[in-house]
Amino acid sequence: QVQLVESGGGSVETGGSLRLSCVVSGNVYRNNCMGWNRRAPGREREAVAAIDGFGLTRVADSVKGRFTISQDSAKMNLYLEMNNLKPEDSAMYYCGTGPCMNAVQALADMIEDFGDWGQGTQVTVSS
């Protein structure tokens, strides 16, 4: 069983930065991908960023150039560095893990394919 616990959310003004963290424990297959998705009220869940077992990453076009996904060498901590935040980035952010072919495929399919997700951390960006 896999447990994921997110932290680091909060309230910032437009243009601000936050760093989300996700602690991963349990039986995680080391070649699994990991990623972040977000959901805002009234909007569909959106895959934000993914990282594969080789450390290759992919982010959504909506956050490209502003968000960076990374993980530690033990692959037990996942991070999402968020810069130049905008009000439309306000959402609950979830980290997850699951099987994948690569980061590109993980970003496209994580919402359907990842079997383990955390409880989320709230990000609010005021204008």
Side-chain angles (χ1 to χ4, degrees), residues 90-107:
S90 297
M92 186 72 81
Y93 284 71
Y94 303 87
C95 68
T97 186
C100 67
M101 296 173 58
N102 51 53
V104 174
Q105 180 266 325
L107 186 68

Side-chain angles (χ1 to χ4, degrees), residues 102-117:
N102 51 53
V104 174
Q105 180 266 325
L107 186 68
D109 299 330
M110 68 169 69
I111 294 173
E112 294 82 17
D113 291 351
F114 282 12
D116 297 291
W117 293 99

Side-chain angles (χ1 to χ4, degrees), residues 60-104:
D61 288 343
S62 59
V63 304
K64 193 169 294 183
R66 301 187 298 121
F67 288 17
T68 303
I69 185 172
S70 62
Q71 65 185 170
D72 64 357
S73 57
K75 301 182 180 180
M76 302 308 289
N77 290 279
L78 182 70
Y79 306 101
L80 186 68
E81 187 76 34
M82 307 186 296
N83 298 312
N84 191 20
L85 283 161
K86 304 175 181 180
E88 52 264 41
D89 295 319
S90 297
M92 186 72 81
Y93 284 71
Y94 303 87
C95 68
T97 186
C100 67
M101 296 173 58
N102 51 53
V104 174

